[in-house]
Amino acid sequence: MEYLSADDSRAVSRWRDFMRFRSISGEGVSNGSYRQCVEFLTGLCTEVGLQVETLEPVEGKLIIVATLVGSEPSLGRIVLNSHYDVVPVDREQWCCDPFGAEVLDGYPAAVASGSNSTTAAGPCVYGRGAQDMKCVVIQYLEALRRLLGRGWTPRRTLHLTIVPDEEVGGNDGMCQLLESRQFREMQPIALALDEGLANSDDAYTAFYGERAQWWLMVRAEGPTGHGSRFIRNTAVQKLVGVINKALAFRAEQEAALGWQHAGCKHSQAKQLGDVTTCNVTMLNSGVTCDGGATYSLNVIPTVAEAGFDVRISPNLATSEFRRLLDEWCEGDGLSWRFAPWVSTLEEHHVTSIDREKNPFWGVFEDACGKLGVKLEHEIFPAGTDSQFLRALGVAAVGFSPMRNTPMLLHEHNEALSVATFVEGIGVYERVIEDLCGAPRQL
């Protein structure tokens, strides 16, 4: 990567160093990577010139709050949020070490086939978190490093918040931050930025809301008996009935989306955030004879459970989906509940993109416009920590400046081109400078 400037080369090196921490949500405390990540990031924050506080509301799960005090600290503040945890990996499915931050030429399809079809992307850094969202954490810091390096002083105070456990629902991350003294002292917040998604076209995408994330458990109970008999109304029969209704609803929503080709963003009238997805993600039943993996297959189980990942579009009232759930689970021995290990927001919360009602959206949009790149706005199809900010009335925008980039978050061989990463630093320079310099009357 000899073509990079010295500053860009150092930024890429810091990004790769950060990606080498194995900060998987379920492992981060026990393997020490959470603490290592925070030590690494607090060092960078201090080096850049930020005031740093570290919170540990849950043992081993540390939160960083780094602050740059503005010249008019009474004005509404700007928050840059991110998370340092990542999802698990299946090492056998990767072309390289998922935590090696290796540099390969092109995105995964070209690397796997040996073709040159995507080498226009140039060198790409491979590793878990390349897109989600270790790139953004470092881009924030590098943008601030460059702004402060040229003597910039913000009018509005800026807070950089970096949390754990976003990938497992945010209970021990963002939700803990929102209950802290540090968050109370950030008020008022004019606008918060958080993660977005890659855009395969030559445009950036900003997300002003997201689908309500409901993780559900459906439980069915029924009679037992010998596996050779026709026992009626078994737990499995009841559960399959619920699943069939859920899958029929899923098919209706998929048809409404109108996708011609899976993953083709602009081959349909609607975007994924415009419809509701409902997927069965867990099934559990059976009688074990040893409390382990050996099942008594001649015994009809009395309990069967299914887990669902549901993302409810703002186009469907959550009260209406609750009514559907109640209808699907009508009958003796059937019930549903929210998964108890994750916080659930039962209503939609959307940030206004009306420039009159939300002038900071206008500042953000204009900053992107100065870069000469088209900005699209959508409902985020999955879930981020932004949902908790919006629920408190904080205007939040999901934004990761990755254009002409395949969406690879959570996939095998997650990668991001070096050129896109470097471009994103410049994007954040512009956006941060304009947001923090927004006039006091806004």
Side-chain angles (χ1 to χ4, degrees):
M1 297 183 287
E2 294 80 5
Y3 64 92
L4 294 177
S5 69
D7 282 349
D8 290 345
S9 181
R10 285 189 288 267
V12 171
S13 292
R14 285 186 280 265
W15 173 38
R16 295 176 66 197
D17 287 344
F18 183 33
M19 287 177 58
R20 293 188 178 104
F21 295 109
R22 189 184 171 90
S23 53
I24 297 172
S25 303
E27 301 179 13
V29 175
S30 61
N31 70 10
S33 64
Y34 271 14
R35 196 167 296 278
Q36 292 164 3
C37 276
V38 168
E39 290 173 356
F40 174 78
L41 293 172
T42 53
L44 291 183
C45 289
T46 301
E47 184 181 293
V48 166
L50 307 180
Q51 301 172 11
V52 186
E53 289 187 83
T54 303
L55 294 66
E56 193 171 355
V58 177
E59 185 176 359
K61 298 184 178 183
L62 298 97
I63 297 169
I64 296 172
V65 177
T67 300
L68 180 62
V69 178
S71 60
E72 300 183 42
S74 63
L75 299 180
R77 301 176 177 202
I78 304 301
V79 172
L80 307 177
N81 185 62
S82 56
H83 64 87
Y84 58 81
D85 64 312
V86 297
V87 295
V89 296
D90 182 348
R91 176 63 182 90
E92 294 181 357
Q93 300 298 322
W94 281 67
C95 66
C96 55
D97 180 357
F99 295 97
E102 296 183 34
V103 179
L104 302 175
D105 197 22
Y107 281 114
V111 171
S113 65
S115 76
N116 294 319
S117 60
T118 61
T119 53
C124 295
V125 176
Y126 278 62
R128 181 57 85 219
Q131 291 191 13
D132 183 15
M133 66 176 296
K134 290 187 174 180
C135 57
V136 172
V137 179
I138 301 299
Q139 285 169 327
Y140 285 159
L141 285 164
E142 293 302 317
L144 288 168
R145 182 191 300 274
R146 295 178 188 190
L147 286 166
L148 292 169
R150 54 183 168 85
W152 172 72
T153 299
R155 171 180 286 136
R156 296 172 181 272
T157 293
L158 178 142
H159 300 283
L160 183 66
T161 58
I162 313 175
V163 301
D165 277 21
E166 188 275 345
E167 298 291 3
V168 288
N171 275 16
D172 290 345
M174 175 57 77
C175 292
Q176 296 294 325
L177 172 63
L178 298 185
E179 295 178 359
S180 69
R181 167 189 59 80
Q182 287 81 357
F183 183 74
R184 291 192 296 273
E185 291 175 354
M186 290 180 198
Q187 309 308 311
I189 297 173
L191 188 73
L193 296 184
D194 198 0
E195 64 184 313
L197 294 173
N199 190 324
S200 59
D201 292 336
D202 190 23
Y204 298 130
T205 310
F207 298 92
Y208 59 95
E210 51 194 68
R211 300 185 296 177
Q213 174 182 295
W214 285 18
W215 288 353
L216 309 170
M217 301 291 293
V218 174
R219 179 182 175 92
E221 299 178 2
T224 189
H226 199 284
S228 64
R229 300 170 56 202
F230 287 113
I231 305 295
R232 293 185 177 182
N233 298 319
T234 66
V236 171
Q237 281 180 297
K238 294 175 182 178
L239 185 64
V240 168
V242 175
I243 290 173
N244 286 339
K245 293 171 185 176
L247 293 180
F249 170 82
R250 180 186 188 277
E252 292 173 359
Q253 293 293 301
E254 186 176 18
L257 181 60
W259 281 22
Q260 299 301 312
H261 305 285
C264 186
K265 186 174 185 289
H266 293 294
S267 63
Q268 72 282 344
K270 294 182 178 181
Q271 303 299 336
L272 188 56
D274 297 327
V275 299
T276 297
T277 50
C278 178
N279 286 295
V280 182
T281 53
M282 186 280 288
L283 288 170
N284 184 36
S285 189
V287 177
T288 66
C289 55
D290 59 1
T294 304
Y295 286 87
S296 299
L297 297 181
N298 59 347
V299 180
I300 293 172
T302 58
V303 175
E305 291 184 307
F308 294 81
D309 182 315
V310 182
R311 309 297 171 108
I312 307 171
S313 167
N315 295 323
L316 175 66
T318 54
S319 59
E320 174 60 17
F321 188 76
R322 180 184 283 273
R323 185 193 65 76
L324 283 174
L325 276 173
D326 290 339
E327 182 180 292
W328 297 345
C329 294
E330 283 181 345
D332 291 339
L334 279 172
S335 61
W336 70 269
R337 63 187 176 115
F338 293 115
W341 57 85
V342 63
S343 295
T344 301
L345 298 178
E346 299 186 40
E347 302 295 336
H348 291 112
H349 303 278
V350 176
T351 295
S352 174
I353 55 173
D354 183 322
R355 297 170 68 100
E356 295 297 320
K357 296 178 180 178
N358 181 11
F360 282 90
W361 165 261
V363 175
F364 169 78
E365 188 175 44
D366 289 345
C368 292
K370 293 175 184 177
L371 300 166
V373 180
K374 181 181 178 183
L375 181 69
E376 300 174 342
H377 47 78
E378 298 177 13
I379 293 294
F380 196 83
T384 72
D385 282 334
S386 294
Q387 62 183 309
F388 302 113
L389 290 167
R390 294 191 189 101
L392 294 178
V394 175
V397 175
F399 180 66
S400 295
M402 298 182 283
R403 57 180 175 139
N404 299 312
T405 300
M407 193 183 301
L408 299 172
L409 75 169
H410 295 199
E411 294 194 14
H412 307 312
N413 299 320
E414 183 179 350
L416 183 65
S417 81
V418 171
T420 299
F421 170 78
V422 170
E423 179 182 274
I425 296 171
V427 172
Y428 281 122
E429 275 191 82
R430 176 79 275 159
V431 168
I432 292 170
E433 184 172 19
D434 285 10
L435 285 172
C436 288
R440 63 176 62 89
Q441 61 267 27
L442 291 189

